[in-house]
Amino acid sequence: MAEAHRDLIVVGASAGGVEALRTLVAGLPAELPATVAVVLHMPAGGASALPAILDRSGPLPAVFARSGMPLTPGQVCVAPPDHHLLVVEDRFALSHGPTENGHRPAVDALFRSAAIAGGPRVTCVVLSGVLDDGVAGAVAVRARGGLVVVQSPADALHPGMPENVLRHVRADRVLPAAELGAALAELARERVAPSSAPPTPPQVEQEDRIVRDWRGIVGDTHMIGEASGYTCPDCNGVLNEVHPGTLRFRCQIGHAWSVEALAQAQGDAFEKALWTALRTLEEKVRLSERMLENARARGDGRQAARYQGRLEESVRAVDVLRGFLLARGEPVPEEGVASGDQLG
């Protein structure tokens, strides 16, 4: 049986992840016998200086990954903004496929593709971040015989991602970021037998195909999973539960959501709707005031009474809704509320 070693390290991070990544790569040796692939959740627009930052932080060269780029030991390859970074056989691929938990690039997409391509050759690393990104990908890596390494939650600026992975997956190492480089170098030299890897779970293969071959999947009538009764925050389509009991969802377009990310997105949509409603009510107050003034100027007492009632009703609604939002401690959106200073 042919042997190999753990020559593929895939790293995922989100909020607070830049400092953790810098510390990790600083601890990697120049002769690392593995390729390092990195996904940092970031906004889709704009440029990223992450390769330059990591290139200066440690002995390994760091570059943006490109489609078709071979896996090269001793190199750090970073997902570019607005593209999923995937591993296909022994090369990288970039995809503009559906977002996962609202992100592109997404940690889970990288981990899942690496698990399929590398099996026990893969070590996934989960660093600082919020919510439960990385859990599904770490489960896929473990299912294929790979290793799971997690930054100590106490060491992470945002411990949500490490804590959630530890709740669902047995980790092979849980270490502060400063100790991860040396541990990964040690693990990379371990011998493994790729042919002995357990088979890839069917739903993992299907989710990888959705992201990798997304142009041919959109509109596919063979939806993954069963209808959940929830709505996709990205496109308002029906979400299917990927696999019974997993609490992971995909819509027909392909957008993927974990249960925590879905709840967060629903909460954000709810808050946005409330602020929009408040702004609309405040505009109704101003319009009612003008209509009342106009009716009084015309001497139309009947219409003035009608507009006075409408004005008082709208002011009461504004007071109730604004009081509810402020009691929740929600900040006023950047675009502001039309007359917030006048009616507070």
Side-chain angles (χ1 to χ4, degrees):
M1 184 177 294
E3 285 194 341
H5 59 93
R6 302 190 191 277
D7 59 355
L8 178 56
I9 300 169
V10 290
V11 185
S14 188
V18 173
E19 188 59 36
L21 283 166
R22 291 179 60 189
T23 304
L24 184 156
V25 300
L28 293 171
E31 68 279 6
L32 181 73
T35 306
V36 181
V38 174
V39 161
L40 174 68
H41 288 162
M42 65 185 80
S48 168
L50 187 59
I53 293 171
L54 299 184
D55 191 73
R56 295 193 300 267
S57 299
L60 302 182
V63 299
F64 275 126
R66 303 185 308 274
S67 279
M69 175 187 289
L71 305 183
T72 304
Q75 186 175 58
V76 178
C77 298
V78 177
D82 204 28
H83 289 82
H84 291 304
L85 176 59
L86 309 175
V87 180
V88 180
E89 296 180 349
D90 61 350
R91 295 181 178 274
F92 288 117
L94 300 181
S95 166
H96 200 68
T99 58
E100 301 206 7
N101 292 343
H103 301 296
R104 186 172 52 227
V107 170
D108 284 320
L110 171 62
F111 285 8
R112 187 172 50 237
S113 68
I116 294 171
R121 294 166 43 216
V122 177
T123 301
C124 74
V125 184
V126 179
L127 302 178
S128 174
V130 297
L131 303 180
D132 53 356
D133 298 291
V135 170
V139 168
V141 169
R142 170 65 70 197
R144 289 276 289 152
L147 301 184
V148 177
V149 175
V150 180
Q151 181 182 8
S152 300
D155 182 62
L157 186 59
H158 295 274
M161 280 175 54
E163 287 176 344
N164 275 297
V165 169
L166 291 174
R167 288 190 188 102
H168 293 86
V169 187
R170 178 180 61 81
D172 297 277
R173 300 284 192 282
V174 181
L175 298 167
E179 299 177 23
L180 288 175
L184 291 171
E186 177 185 347
L187 294 173
R189 294 180 171 83
E190 291 184 357
R191 308 301 296 182
V192 294
S195 60
S196 66
T200 303
Q203 69 269 19
V204 172
E205 289 187 337
Q206 188 169 1
E207 288 199 86
D208 180 66
R209 187 169 65 92
I210 288 171
V211 176
R212 180 162 41 92
D213 302 326
W214 63 281
R215 292 182 184 276
I217 298 298
V218 173
D220 192 342
T221 57
H222 301 290
M223 290 277 291
I224 186 171
E226 300 292 333
S228 67
Y230 304 120
T231 302
C232 176
D234 277 352
C235 67
N236 295 319
V238 175
L239 283 172
N240 276 17
E241 189 164 358
V242 171
H243 192 67
T246 60
L247 293 180
R248 292 192 61 253
F249 309 91
R250 277 193 187 271
C251 69
Q252 188 169 0
I253 298 299
H255 302 123
W257 297 91
S258 67
V259 64
E260 287 202 14
L262 179 60
Q264 178 70 50
Q266 289 173 336
D268 291 345
F270 176 66
E271 299 297 345
K272 182 178 179 180
L274 289 179
W275 283 110
T276 300
L278 179 58
R279 185 168 58 247
T280 301
L281 283 170
E282 290 186 329
E283 291 175 357
K284 186 176 181 180
V285 166
R286 295 201 306 273
L287 183 59
S288 296
E289 287 173 338
R290 294 194 61 180
M291 295 170 74
L292 175 60
E293 292 171 1
N294 186 265
R296 286 172 173 170
R298 298 195 315 269
D300 190 338
R302 183 177 178 181
Q303 285 289 78
R306 177 187 173 196
Y307 296 144
Q308 179 69 40
R310 179 184 295 178
L311 173 61
E312 292 173 357
E313 179 185 356
S314 298
V315 168
R316 286 195 298 270
V318 165
D319 288 343
V320 170
L321 186 52
R322 174 173 272 275
F324 172 75
L325 286 166
L326 294 180
R328 290 169 60 89
E330 296 296 332
V332 178
E334 289 186 3
E335 64 268 22
V337 177
S339 58
D341 292 337
Q342 300 172 19
L343 296 168

